[in-house]
Amino acid sequence: QVQVVESGGGLVQPGGSLRLSCAASGSLFSINAMGWYRQVPGKERELVATITSDKRTNYADSVKGRFTVSRDNAKNTVDLQMNSLKSEDTAVYYCNAEILMPWGSKRVYWGQGTQVTVSS
């Protein structure tokens, strides 16, 4: 019904930059919030950044000042600009979209993830 697809991951040296992109498609109705999360093997998925339809943002303390989340409501996309990358940022990054249904309920959909590896 709803597809969420991430792209842009890869291998980068410490201090480098990457830009992740995410696109939501399908029976979207209305997207309230979109966000980026990351997960390392053996650990729970953690929030990286979220952004609402009116462009309010929330960042994990570990990425504040280095990462920037943005979205294009018309295109149903959200990007994550990652600067000054550290080895600790290595993880699989997941995008999600919170869909507001016409009858008022909300549903969250997740992408399959994209690998980000920060290593020299």
Side-chain angles (χ1 to χ4, degrees), residues 16 22-23 25 32 41 49 74 77 85 107:
C22 173
S25 62
N32 180 31
T77 60
L85 283 162
R107 295 181 181 179

Side-chain angles (χ1 to χ4, degrees), residues 20 35-41 43-49 60-63 66-67 80 82 85-95 110 114 116 118:
L20 305 183
W36 288 96
Y37 296 73
R38 65 188 182 188
Q39 188 169 26
V40 176
K43 299 181 65 177
E44 292 190 1
R45 191 171 300 182
E46 64 177 3
L47 180 147
V48 176
D61 288 341
S62 60
V63 307
R66 299 189 298 119
F67 292 9
L80 183 69
M82 305 185 295
L85 283 162
K86 306 173 181 179
S87 60
E88 305 92 270
D89 296 317
T90 296
V92 176
Y93 283 71
Y94 297 89
C95 174
W110 292 88
T114 184
V116 172
V118 184

